[in-house]
Amino acid sequence: MTKLSNRQTFSVDGVTAPLRYAVFRHVWLTSLLSNLGILIRGVGAAWAMTEMTSSADKVALVQTATSLPVMLIALPAGAIADMHDRRLVALIALSIALGGVIALTVLQWLGLTTPNLLLFLCFVVGTGVALMYPAWQSSVAEQVPAEALPAAVTLNGISFNIARSFGPAIGGIVVGTAGAVAAFAINAVLYLPLMIALLFWKRVPAPSRLPREQLIRAILSGVRYIRNSPPIKIVLIRAVVTAAIGSSVSALMPLLARDLLSGGAQTYGIMLGAFGFGAVIGAISIGEVRKRMSGEAALRACMLTMAAATTAAALSRAPVLTAAALILAGAMWTMAFTLLDIGAQLSAPRWVAGRALATYLASYSSGIAFGSWGWGRLTDAAGVETALLVSAVLMLLSPLLGLWLRMPRISAHEEGIEMSTDPEVRLPLTDRSGPLVVEIEYRVAPENARAFHKVMQDIQLSRQRNGAYGWSIARNIADPDLWTERYHCPTWLDYLRQRNRWTQSDRAMDQEAAAFHIGPDPVRIRRLLERPFGSVRWKDEAPDRDANEVLLFKCDRVAGH
């Protein structure tokens, strides 16, 4: 575990409690400056495109270009964050984003920027952000204790939204007085404090008894975990839908300022500032909302309220009324995605946190990317007002998703269980020996058969998301009390990884299944090496021994798998 300074006990009820940890405080404060620069650069890019072209499609594509890399490389980025030092990954990612912003600054200063070049460089900057986000977000658990993690996640959201409150307004002033080149230059300068804070963070990585996964295997492990985790899948689907239908407000903000309010860059900055100010209010309020409402009820309330605010913004022609509507919309937008973000972070154990967060980011960003493109196309065909009203109607209908995909109830972070020893082995094995077969025998009273079978369906997902395949449960027809759970792991090393990926909830499910066991003997566990020919040598026997023979190498009579 990473060493944390200021480890004294304190209440974590307040949203600012994580700031008492020096590492988190330094990274948080410098990330606030970085976010401020990002927002200022966003105003410059959007307004530069507005000046270069009258196409609403092109203007909306600025947001798409920044978000699209997140969707494309998020999962590899998450695997890299889980495999390597997250501090170094974040530094490399920031360097990529800094390089893109410097290039944008120089080209804009020389007057060489074109619409396509602007989109390309926004894509480069977005690539750096896509690589940085999983490492940055998943490293929060290394900067604060588990009980402070929800507050730390909320604070990271507040950081961005404080920047959103002031960044767009500052960006509008900067662009209006010094041009887009000044906005790009400020973004470049404000990346530096965060890079310095990360350089001075003396991260102590947790030692691992097992070798690092290869990138492709790590990506596949992340996909497998997410595929077999219903809570994360629900969060991802809800994030895509919410981002797609709610992205109309931010994607069309320049056109709302220009066409509906007849304003310029400063009006655009003020409107974005109003949206960001509301976002801060929403982020600060999320703790109280989580205490009083379930995740599903809170998300439903956010979308219904945002639908009303978006309708008001579409119909208003008065800047004051539009700003008021955008404050409300910003608060609801931030509450909704803070709820989804917390759900994604608390649903994943440490070993796969970066990949889970990256997939959440990819879902969120793909919704924004395709939603922004769609709202731009609709605006070209029907106008800003119509596009915003259509978006409001979809927001109004979105709570119906909760009938099928209800937000999961999550109260604590998934803590891993440290396996200090490996099973005893009397057969010569290498990391690549395999496949491994695990058989677990339970004796269950007939009257408990149905309840036991139901628990085993949850066990199946647990085994599969941690690395097992070919899972099955069978009942002995000659001895109906005897049930056999069976699953495979590709290699001995994969089996050891599967054991070390257990969480508290996995153990609780395993204990629940073992509680059904009856009889004087404990649950019986067999570990077998399948197709051992080639890894086992027989000196005195013929070399054509059946290659499909299954050889038992260990039989345990205690839990541990």
Side-chain angles (χ1 to χ4, degrees), residues 23-307:
V23 171
F24 179 82
R25 182 172 65 251
H26 295 157
V27 173
W28 186 85
L29 290 172
T30 53
S31 68
L32 175 60
L33 296 176
S34 175
N35 288 331
L36 185 66
I38 289 171
L39 269 295
I40 292 173
R41 188 254 307 156
V43 174
W47 198 255
M49 183 65 80
T50 303
E51 289 184 329
M52 284 188 287
T53 179
S54 60
S55 169
D57 191 13
K58 286 281 189 181
V59 174
L61 279 175
V62 171
Q63 183 165 279
T64 299
T66 305
S67 302
L68 190 60
V70 180
M71 180 187 66
L72 296 177
I73 71 166
L75 193 53
I80 291 170
D82 287 331
M83 293 165 57
H84 299 280
D85 186 327
R86 287 163 176 157
R87 182 183 67 93
L88 293 178
V89 173
L91 281 169
I92 293 170
L94 279 171
S95 300
I96 294 172
L98 179 62
V101 172
I102 290 174
L104 192 55
T105 304
V106 172
L107 291 172
Q108 184 72 15
W109 181 54
L110 296 174
L112 300 177
T113 309
T114 64
N116 289 337
L117 189 55
L118 176 64
L119 292 175
F120 170 74
L121 290 173
C122 286
F123 184 88
V124 171
V125 175
T127 300
V129 172
L131 183 59
M132 185 189 75
Y133 182 90
W136 173 50
Q137 287 287 69
S138 58
S139 70
V140 173
E142 302 174 19
Q143 300 167 20
V144 300
E147 64 268 19
L149 185 58
V153 173
T154 301
L155 269 177
N156 277 340
I158 290 175
S159 169
F160 181 76
N161 290 300
I162 289 175
R164 183 181 291 183
S165 297
F166 302 104
I170 295 172
I173 294 171
V174 170
V175 172
T177 56
V181 65
F184 302 150
I186 289 172
N187 182 201
V189 171
L190 292 181
Y191 273 136
L192 299 179
L194 179 56
M195 298 180 75
I196 293 171
L198 291 172
L199 280 170
F200 280 93
W201 173 20
K202 303 300 182 182
R203 178 180 181 269
V204 181
S208 175
R209 298 186 302 109
L210 302 177
R212 181 183 297 156
E213 284 186 284
Q214 296 180 346
L215 180 60
I216 299 300
R217 295 292 294 273
I219 293 172
L220 293 176
S221 294
V223 171
R224 180 178 57 239
Y225 185 90
I226 292 163
R227 187 178 65 229
N228 290 286
S229 176
I232 293 181
K233 287 196 294 185
I234 290 173
V235 170
L236 297 183
I237 295 171
R238 298 296 290 271
V240 169
V241 174
T242 303
I245 64 179
S247 62
S248 60
V249 177
S250 52
L252 301 178
M253 194 81 74
L255 303 175
L256 183 151
R258 188 188 67 184
D259 298 344
L260 298 186
L261 300 178
S262 302
Q266 292 187 4
T267 302
Y268 168 52
I270 292 170
M271 292 302 111
L272 274 177
F275 189 87
F277 178 68
V280 173
I281 295 173
I284 293 174
S285 305
I286 192 66
E288 193 64 27
V289 169
R290 290 184 72 224
K291 288 179 183 178
R292 296 178 178 273
M293 304 174 72
S294 67
E296 180 60 36
L299 187 59
R300 184 185 306 127
C302 287
M303 297 310 294
L304 294 176
T305 307
M306 191 171 176

Side-chain angles (χ1 to χ4, degrees), residues 448-491:
N448 293 328
R450 186 177 297 275
F452 174 75
H453 186 266
K454 183 178 180 180
V455 170
M456 294 308 294
Q457 304 313 301
D458 294 330
I459 293 284
Q460 176 185 4
L461 293 178
S462 170
R463 306 276 194 245
Q464 290 177 168
R465 62 175 169 257
N466 288 335
Y469 71 93
W471 186 93
S472 65
I473 184 73
R475 192 175 186 184
N476 193 318
I477 60 175
D479 185 1
D481 288 354
L482 183 62
W483 295 71
T484 302
E485 178 192 1
R486 180 183 174 94
Y487 62 87
H488 294 67
C489 290
T491 66

Side-chain angles (χ1 to χ4, degrees), residues 369-416:
F370 290 110
S372 298
W373 173 79
W375 297 123
R377 295 298 298 269
L378 181 59
T379 300
D380 275 337
V384 180
E385 179 181 330
T386 300
L388 290 173
L389 289 174
V390 171
S391 174
V393 171
L394 293 177
M395 292 178 202
L396 196 64
L397 297 175
S398 65
L400 294 175
L401 265 180
L403 298 176
W404 298 277
L405 300 171
R406 192 172 185 85
M407 283 288 290
R409 292 183 177 274
I410 301 168
S411 57
H413 187 243
E414 281 277 29
E415 289 295 324

